[in-house]
Amino acid sequence: MKLKSWQLVMVAVFSQMSTGAYADHIVLDQIDVKGERIEGSTTQPNIVKAREEINKTAGGVTVVDMEQVREGRTSNFADTLGLATGVLAQSRFGAEETRLSIRGSGIQRTFHGRGIKLMQDGIPVNLADGSFDFPSIDPMATDYISVHRGANALQYGSSNLGGSVNFISRTGYTAPKFEVRTEGGSYGYYRLGLSAGGVVDDLDYFVTASKYHSDSFRDNAQQSADRLTGNVGYKINENVETRFYFGHINTDSQLSSSLTKQQLKDDPKQANVIPGQGINERDINLTRFANKTTFLFDSSKLELGAFYSKKGLFHPIGNFGDTTGVIDQETDDYGISAKYTHQSQLYGHDNTFTIGYIPTYGENDYKNYRNVNARRGALINKQSQKASNHEVFLEDRLNLTHDFAVIAGLQYTNARRQSDDELIAATGDQSYDARYSGYSPKLGVLYNLQPQVQLFANVSRSFEPPSFGELNLTISDALKAQRGTTFEVGTRGNSQFVDWDIAVYEARLDNELLQVGINGSPFATLTTNADKTIHRGLELGLTARLPLSLESRSSFLINDFKLDGDATFANNRLPGIQRSLLRSELLYRGNHLLHGFYFGPTIEWSPERYNVDFAETVYADNYFLWGLKAGQKVNAHWSWLLEGRNLANQKYAASTGISRNLNGADSATFLPGDGRTAYMGVTWTY
């Protein structure tokens, strides 16, 4: 049967209505329809196609719809990923700086990010050594976000513990012709974004420019950013499409200091400044170009890609010997990717085979100066650093029945971290040439219990070489790669009243990259390998459609992360991360005269205190935050929002540093969260 385009659209709309307009996860019966091709991008799938593909995964995955996120403030990763199942995103300094972790990935990393493959449009935002900076992403350019937790991110060449987070930009097919969005609120916060998109014959385009500023809740934490992001796609023919991406980001960020618990209780806004060192900063200038080209064949698909990025970092922090001061870096990162997918019959069963190769390279000109009032003083360190990664992966999905599939995969990673010391100081030659390699297999099963209910289970290995951040701050040059085995079971699905995404996992890690203190220091200032650690937890995402036009959306985490027979700290809990965290909202969604209107409370609840040192002698307190938000999509052109956060003005630690053994002494290791704040926003779309 051949259906016309409008008939195919009606099928898609009816399917959406039957599963709930606000479902985070959609599992539908397979519908084989042959007809005219629906116009759209093959390099950049829309959110409906993304959900269809992601639900073929035998493990924890999530698609975040930015239309839901835009119902509130969109300032940082806590805003965009706060309700994403299995993701811990906590603001560190109030604005864009965030602490991001999945399944305990990088929880010891108190600067930048590690343990997750962060991407925009499938293009790595990570530097070649594995670290990443949060301001590199523009939320106003994003259509949706796909999250693959753990080894479920194999298709992106990711073998680390946390998996991947991929911010997918709008295209000319999904963006409005023109849009203006502005947000403003407490402590000098504002964000203005202008975007345009469209389709001209076989070419489509999207471009957005945004400006952001915040004086921030805390002293010495002012933030600002200017961004230009876009992409241009061209259909060479009905089977070949190429898309070019570009982006430029310029950010200036002050980094407020940690406080003692008593200082936090007295005045969480305050900040400490060491005389002669000025205010800590992290200023980034980043330019990125990339291309993806997709070739469609009768039963297969070939995806080719390439990228180049240039990053400048100016980063005044405290003077600590000859290791830190003012960090000044110029980094060039580049790489290519190739992925081939083939669908066929294997012994009478549907079979999909995927193979890919992703080599990436990075060159870093690293300089370190004495910090003189947040300006460059005497040069104390200079290194030429090179990183490379070669990732080869393959995956096979065999449908033994219509409802039961077995997925097996394997990845091989070969990494190199090389640093040439070009300024030999009193500490001696700090050059090193470290090589790491490992195999990461996985095996999973996926069962469609009902047309819209899935069960899954998998076992996988993870592999994560250290970044320069660990190698530059390590006890010796013998730092090993972090490895682990993760077991996972879960279910996802939806019904008329509820959508759910639940996973339980246990990861047993060898050589986890942890920060410790040496020579009697109570603070965790250097990196070493733990012997054995255990990460286990529960990841729950829930959307419920209730009577009286109420809708509840929630994300709940339980984190049980421990040492396993450590010689000093036995089976103590790993410090610096919430043991459990609930984020939730309950909104009234109007109809008829109040069509498009929403209003209701929001909460964030950390019910248990958690330790900030390995010895478990000092704890961050539990907390409960509540707020309100409201808004309305008035018509096809106008929408507005109002949001109040932490309306009880709770004093709490949003994040903390990591210490070895504080012996119960109050220490400057707490990073306060924002107090009472309010925001408003208006969007005009043409």
Side-chain angles (χ1 to χ4, degrees):
M1 177 180 64
K2 186 173 182 180
L3 299 181
K4 296 182 179 180
S5 297
W6 69 269
Q7 293 173 311
L8 294 175
V9 171
M10 290 301 295
V11 169
V13 170
F14 179 78
S15 299
Q16 282 282 67
M17 293 174 59
S18 68
T19 57
Y22 299 97
D24 285 333
H25 309 279
I26 299 176
V27 184
L28 300 175
D29 281 321
Q30 181 175 337
I31 303 175
D32 296 320
V33 179
K34 296 182 180 180
E36 297 175 4
R37 181 178 176 181
I38 299 177
E39 194 70 16
S41 172
T42 55
T43 57
Q44 201 89 329
N46 61 34
I47 190 170
V48 175
K49 182 66 175 177
R51 282 174 168 156
E52 177 186 331
E53 288 299 315
I54 206 170
N55 283 324
K56 296 177 181 178
T57 307
V61 291
T62 304
V63 172
V64 179
D65 188 349
M66 283 298 294
E67 288 302 312
Q68 292 178 332
V69 174
R70 291 187 183 100
E71 291 182 340
R73 190 193 72 169
T74 56
S75 177
N76 55 34
F77 276 49
D79 296 340
T80 56
L81 292 168
L83 285 173
T85 307
V87 179
L88 178 74
Q90 290 290 90
S91 175
R92 295 189 65 230
F93 300 106
E96 295 189 314
E97 185 71 20
T98 307
R99 192 176 192 185
L100 185 67
S101 178
I102 298 176
R103 298 183 175 177
S105 62
I107 60 172
Q108 300 288 298
R109 188 66 175 266
T110 56
F111 56 96
H112 307 282
R114 183 183 61 76
I116 294 172
K117 194 161 193 176
L118 188 66
M119 298 176 289
Q120 186 165 29
D121 304 311
I123 303 158
V125 172
N126 299 61
L127 301 179
D129 73 333
S131 62
F132 58 84
D133 293 288
F134 300 96
S136 303
I137 300 292
D138 186 357
M140 287 200 168
T142 305
D143 189 19
Y144 62 90
I145 308 167
S146 63
V147 180
H148 292 73
R149 306 191 294 275
N152 301 303
L154 179 68
Q155 63 171 298
Y156 294 113
S158 174
S159 62
N160 51 37
L161 175 66
S164 69
V165 179
N166 191 12
F167 287 74
I168 305 298
S169 299
R170 291 170 164 177
T171 68
Y173 295 104
T174 60
K177 291 182 179 179
F178 188 71
E179 185 176 87
V180 180
R181 179 182 174 96
T182 182
E183 300 174 359
S186 300
Y187 302 103
Y189 170 79
Y190 70 83
R191 185 183 290 272
L192 173 65
L194 308 175
S195 66
V199 180
V200 181
D201 296 327
D202 293 324
L203 181 143
D204 76 280
Y205 65 92
F206 170 75
V207 62
T208 180
S210 67
K211 188 172 186 63
Y212 158 82
H213 177 84
S214 175
D215 293 329
S216 295
F217 169 74
R218 298 200 57 207
D219 297 338
N220 303 333
Q222 190 177 92
Q223 315 264 318
S224 63
D226 299 300
R227 297 179 173 92
L228 178 67
T229 307
N231 60 83
V232 177
Y234 181 71
K235 291 184 181 295
I236 298 173
N237 56 49
E238 64 177 8
N239 295 318
V240 182
E241 179 180 292
T242 188
R243 186 168 300 275
F244 294 90
Y245 303 86
F246 60 89
H248 179 75
I249 301 163
N250 186 28
T251 71
D252 295 326
S253 303
Q254 294 180 346
L255 307 178
S256 195
S257 67
S258 301
L259 300 179
T260 66
K261 184 181 289 189
Q262 189 59 51
Q263 287 176 319
L264 186 153
K265 291 180 178 179
D266 292 341
D267 179 12
K269 295 182 181 180
Q270 65 180 300
N272 303 316
V273 178
I274 299 175
Q277 294 188 11
I279 301 171
N280 292 346
E281 299 177 36
R282 184 181 295 129
D283 302 336
I284 297 172
N285 189 288
L286 175 68
T287 302
R288 181 169 55 223
F289 297 97
N291 173 264
K292 287 198 301 186
T293 303
T294 301
F295 301 84
L296 299 179
F297 305 99
D298 289 339
S299 58
S300 57
K301 178 170 68 173
L302 175 63
E303 299 170 276
L304 302 177
F307 76 93
Y308 169 78
S309 67
K310 187 174 187 63
K311 171 190 163 185
L313 172 67
F314 177 72
H315 188 13
I317 52 178
N319 288 318
F320 300 102
D322 291 330
T323 57
T324 56
V326 175
I327 298 175
D328 192 344
Q329 296 183 2
E330 292 288 339
T331 306
D332 295 275
D333 286 86
Y334 49 94
I336 60 175
S337 64
K339 185 169 73 171
Y340 177 75
T341 303
H342 180 70
Q343 295 179 331
S344 62
Q345 290 283 309
L346 181 63
Y347 301 111
H349 301 286
D350 291 338
N351 189 75
T352 303
F353 176 76
T354 301
I355 186 170
Y357 173 48
I358 305 176
T360 56
Y361 306 88
E363 300 176 3
N364 180 23
D365 181 16
Y366 177 94
K367 297 185 181 71
N368 204 333
Y369 299 86
R370 185 69 63 190
N371 185 337
V372 180
N373 291 317
R375 295 294 177 262
R376 300 176 184 88
L379 181 66
I380 58 176
N381 199 354
K382 185 177 187 298
Q383 298 185 27
S384 176
Q385 299 177 331
K386 296 181 180 180
S388 64
N389 307 279
H390 294 268
E391 299 162 324
V392 181
F393 59 93
L394 54 90
E395 184 176 87
D396 191 82
R397 174 191 174 90
L398 179 62
N399 290 80
L400 295 177
T401 69
H402 178 74
D403 296 319
F404 184 74
V406 177
I407 298 97
L410 178 66
Q411 174 166 316
Y412 171 73
T413 302
N414 186 291
R416 184 178 184 182
R417 307 288 184 262
Q418 181 182 6
S419 183
D420 296 324
D421 194 339
E422 298 180 347
L423 182 64
I424 309 299
T427 53
D429 190 350
Q430 297 178 338
S431 300
Y432 55 83
D433 189 352
R435 299 170 185 265
Y436 307 91
S437 62
Y439 291 91
S440 304
K442 79 166 188 176
L443 179 65
V445 293
L446 180 66
Y447 178 59
N448 293 319
L449 180 64
Q450 296 177 6
Q452 291 168 293
V453 178
Q454 290 184 324
L455 306 176
F456 57 81
N458 69 71
V459 58
S460 63
R461 289 280 293 171
S462 59
F463 174 81
E464 187 174 337
S467 68
F468 287 128
E470 281 84 30
L471 290 166
N472 293 344
L473 299 174
T474 186
I475 294 175
S476 70
D477 59 359
L479 205 59
K480 300 176 182 177
Q482 174 180 305
R483 303 171 188 265
T485 301
T486 300
F487 304 89
E488 176 187 5
V489 296
T491 175
R492 59 176 168 261
N494 56 304
S495 67
Q496 181 180 356
F497 302 107
V498 65
D499 313 319
W500 69 91
D501 180 9
I502 306 172
V504 178
Y505 68 90
E506 177 170 303
R508 295 185 170 269
L509 304 180
D510 297 314
N511 304 317
E512 183 173 2
L513 296 164
L514 298 180
Q515 289 181 298
V516 299
I518 62 170
N519 299 328
S521 170
F523 301 107
T525 55
L526 300 179
T527 301
T528 188
N529 292 115
D531 185 14
K532 294 182 181 297
T533 53
I534 298 175
H535 292 212
R536 59 170 67 96
L538 167 71
E539 303 164 333
L540 170 64
L542 191 68
T543 298
R545 289 168 290 279
L546 306 172
L548 305 177
S549 299
L550 295 176
E551 178 189 79
S552 172
R553 297 176 60 224
S554 302
S555 174
F556 181 57
L557 282 172
I558 295 178
N559 302 315
D560 184 16
F561 305 151
K562 295 181 178 181
L563 296 164
D564 186 13
D566 183 76
T568 303
F569 299 115
N571 299 322
N572 284 6
R573 293 180 181 273
L574 296 179
I577 191 168
Q578 284 84 349
R579 296 184 184 179
S580 55
L581 183 67
L582 171 67
R583 285 194 173 105
S584 185
E585 63 180 28
L586 177 63
L587 300 182
Y588 166 77
R589 294 193 177 274
N591 47 37
H592 305 301
L593 294 178
L594 292 176
H595 181 73
F597 175 77
Y598 56 91
F599 171 79
T602 63
I603 66 168
E604 180 178 325
W605 183 29
S606 178
E608 301 176 85
R609 67 176 191 166
Y610 61 95
N611 54 303
V612 301
D613 65 341
F614 284 91
E616 296 191 12
T617 68
V618 176
Y619 291 81
D621 294 334
N622 59 334
Y623 63 86
F624 180 85
L625 313 177
W626 67 275
L628 292 170
K629 74 177 184 180
Q632 185 176 17
K633 186 174 179 59
V634 179
N635 52 41
H637 302 294
W638 291 98
S639 62
W640 59 269
L641 68 92
L642 293 172
E643 184 172 12
R645 299 188 176 189
N646 192 8
L647 294 181
N649 205 27
Q650 174 82 43
K651 296 177 181 178
Y652 72 104
S655 184
T656 74
I658 305 297
S659 297
R660 178 177 173 83
N661 186 353
L662 294 174
N663 291 309
D666 194 5
S667 174
T669 191
F670 299 92
L671 290 167
D674 287 358
R676 183 185 296 116
T677 54
Y679 306 94
M680 66 177 297
V682 177
T683 302
W684 178 76
T685 302
Y686 175 73

